[in-house]
Amino acid sequence: QGPRLPGRPGEEGDRAGTGEGLPAEPGEGVPYGPDGEIVDADAFAGHPGGHQQTALAPAPLAEQQEAALMAQSEAQARAADEDDAKRAPAQDRRAAASPAPAGPAEQAAKTSGTLLAKDGKPLTLRFVLPSGPGSESLRTVGERISQMLRKVGIATEVTKVADDSFFKDHIASGQYDLALYSWPATAFPATDDRPIFAKPEPAADGSLLVEQNYTRVGTDHIDQLFDQALGELDEDKARELMRKADARIWAAAGSLPLYQRPQLVAVKPNLANAGAFGLATPRYQDIGWTKPGSAKKKK
């Protein structure tokens, strides 16, 4: 299971009020419940016998979100081009009067028109990344995410912190808007994934009990589906419950799987039936050395 990209803690997408995107209120096409979940998520989860939704295949709602963001980005780009065309004569006159190069403030003013904003304040997300020597690939992914977000009008403020404080002082405490980290996938999602997506609850001391849900995004209905799947003895019914929970997790959009990490296993060419098993159970009785000469030696 690849790294997840948590959303803004405590806020769910466009309901934060910074973008247009998809409808977020009842009666506008998506029936949200009082705690922010989609009431009829079965419409986004597929149907028995049809395409089964997985963690790496977005539900139709995610496809709608992508289409809405792309349409919004294109509209903003057209508006920016029109504004640039209108400002061009005035800028030419200013250049003739004062040929000095534009400073940082002027450059920022020129590009700020393409950013999403509310009450004149552009949307800027705090992006926390580890700074250690073993985190180069993670920082590279973060830089590319920042570039893609910029194209759709979202600015990022990248903060690089020490590895030992990345989780303790930022992820676990909620001091971030965006962050990259991963959870290992298992063959028992109802048991192992519940604390990752459980709705945070207030503790006796007034603090917030988040378990492993560092995004702090969850709903009561997701918890109920996990609880039902935990107690369901019929495997088909348990998978159906987890399929519905998966659709609601995608709708809440607290975290986004980016890619699946490959499982690489090196074995000798004459060792049969051993390698990357993924979530499959190894058949140890089938693993063994082949007879000399039965396996061709690689050149």
Side-chain angles (χ1 to χ4, degrees):
Q1 180 168 315
R4 299 182 182 276
L5 180 62
R8 196 162 190 148
E11 298 179 350
E12 298 182 19
D14 290 320
R15 271 164 282 175
T18 51
E20 298 175 2
L22 292 175
E25 298 296 337
E28 296 183 13
V30 179
Y32 284 101
D35 60 353
E37 98 243 25
I38 290 183
V39 175
D40 186 14
D42 294 344
F44 305 105
H47 301 281
H51 174 67
Q52 296 298 315
Q53 205 62 44
T54 64
L56 293 176
L61 177 61
E63 297 177 2
Q64 296 176 24
Q65 289 175 328
E66 180 182 4
L69 287 172
M70 292 301 296
Q72 183 179 351
S73 176
E74 292 174 359
Q76 291 170 347
R78 288 194 299 268
D81 291 341
E82 292 174 359
D83 290 342
D84 289 342
K86 293 178 181 178
R87 289 196 299 263
Q91 290 175 350
D92 291 342
R93 289 194 296 270
R94 286 198 301 269
S98 177
E106 292 175 338
Q107 290 292 337
K110 184 178 180 180
T111 59
S112 61
T114 62
L115 296 177
L116 293 174
K118 181 179 181 182
D119 298 330
K121 183 178 181 181
L123 172 60
T124 302
L125 302 179
R126 297 170 298 167
F127 200 165
V128 180
L129 295 170
S131 61
S135 305
E136 291 88 351
S137 60
L138 206 62
R139 290 193 294 274
T140 300
V141 173
E143 292 171 359
R144 293 179 180 176
I145 290 174
S146 296
Q147 294 172 4
M148 289 187 286
L149 288 175
R150 177 74 188 195
K151 291 180 180 179
V152 296
I154 301 174
T156 55
E157 180 182 332
V158 178
T159 302
K160 298 177 182 179
V161 300
D163 288 359
D164 55 356
S165 68
F166 177 65
F167 247 90
K168 178 182 65 175
D169 299 330
H170 296 275
I171 306 303
S173 62
Q175 299 301 314
Y176 70 97
D177 291 327
L178 297 175
L180 291 171
Y181 58 91
S182 62
W183 294 112
T186 74
F188 310 100
T191 303
D192 297 336
D193 285 356
R194 191 194 186 285
I196 297 176
F197 300 106
K199 181 180 178 180
E201 298 290 345
D205 59 357
S207 61
L208 193 65
L209 180 62
V210 301
E211 297 190 52
Q212 291 174 279
N213 186 3
Y214 300 125
T215 69
R216 292 162 172 78
V217 176
T219 69
D220 292 328
H221 207 151
I222 292 175
D223 292 350
Q224 292 168 8
L225 290 169
F226 270 105
D227 293 339
Q228 292 174 26
L230 281 169
E232 181 56 64
L233 299 179
D234 187 301
E235 292 185 2
D236 292 336
K237 292 182 179 179
R239 281 194 292 268
E240 178 69 13
L241 290 167
M242 291 309 302
R243 182 179 64 83
K244 293 180 178 180
D246 181 66
R248 287 180 164 83
I249 291 169
W250 270 103
S255 61
L256 300 177
L258 298 178
Y259 55 86
Q260 184 175 7
R261 288 179 175 174
Q263 183 180 8
L264 304 177
V265 179
V267 298
K268 292 185 176 181
N270 59 335
L271 179 61
N273 301 317
F277 294 101
L279 297 180
T281 301
R283 290 179 56 86
Y284 294 102
Q285 64 270 31
D286 294 342
I287 300 175
W289 301 102
T290 60
K291 294 181 180 180
S294 60
K296 292 182 180 181
K297 185 177 181 181
K298 295 182 179 179
K299 294 182 180 180

